Amino acid sequence: MPLVAVVMGSKSDTEAVQATLDVLKELGIDHEVSVISAHRTPEKARQYGLAARSRGIEVIIAAAGGAAHLPGVLASWTTLPVIGVPLATSELRGIDALYAIVQMPAGIPVASVAIGNAGARNAAYLAAEILGLKYDKIREAYQKYRSVLQGDSK
Ligand code: RP5
């Protein structure tokens, strides 16, 4: 049963989101992947956010570019933690998406990671940290990854 929902705003985001999927796979975290546009398919976003918890999802990672309202819209329909990944898919190269995600008004939080590949990877690591509070196997896999980093001289 997937614990992490990875949602992207467009099929065109697939390549940018691959780094998130790679890390989740490396850490052995069950996940599902969906394409939902907050502006083209708002009803789908609402239904997805409302049903996520009852389907067993515990963390949502939402990646979008441009006026990236997807993470905030999903967060409005659920009390699950939402991690937003700003993608550099527009002329503003992700600055717009970063501001849209990180500048959520008070009351409905969305965690923001960095623009692009670093953020895509870190979203999965952050999800592992959250899930590691409850799941020993995920915490151990994540700790193993971190201990490998300590031996890395770069
Ligand atoms: C956002 O607009 C998507 O997340 C994507 O990054 C960007 C462009 O999407 P398309 O218009 O190419 O589908 O909603």
Side-chain angles (χ1 to χ4, degrees), residues 2 6 9 13 15 27 35 44 48-49 73 89 92 95 97 104 141 150:
V6 180
D13 296 328
E15 196 180 328
L27 296 174
V35 177
K44 191 174 169 188
Y48 193 86
V73 167
T89 56
L92 297 184
I95 293 290
M104 279 296 288
Q150 285 182 22

Side-chain angles (χ1 to χ4, degrees), residues 8-13 36-40 63-70 87-90:
M8 64 192 96
S10 168
K11 271 186 195 158
S12 62
D13 296 328
I36 303 174
S37 169
H39 54 278
R40 283 186 286 246
H69 34 276
L70 178 63
L87 301 180
T89 56
S90 73

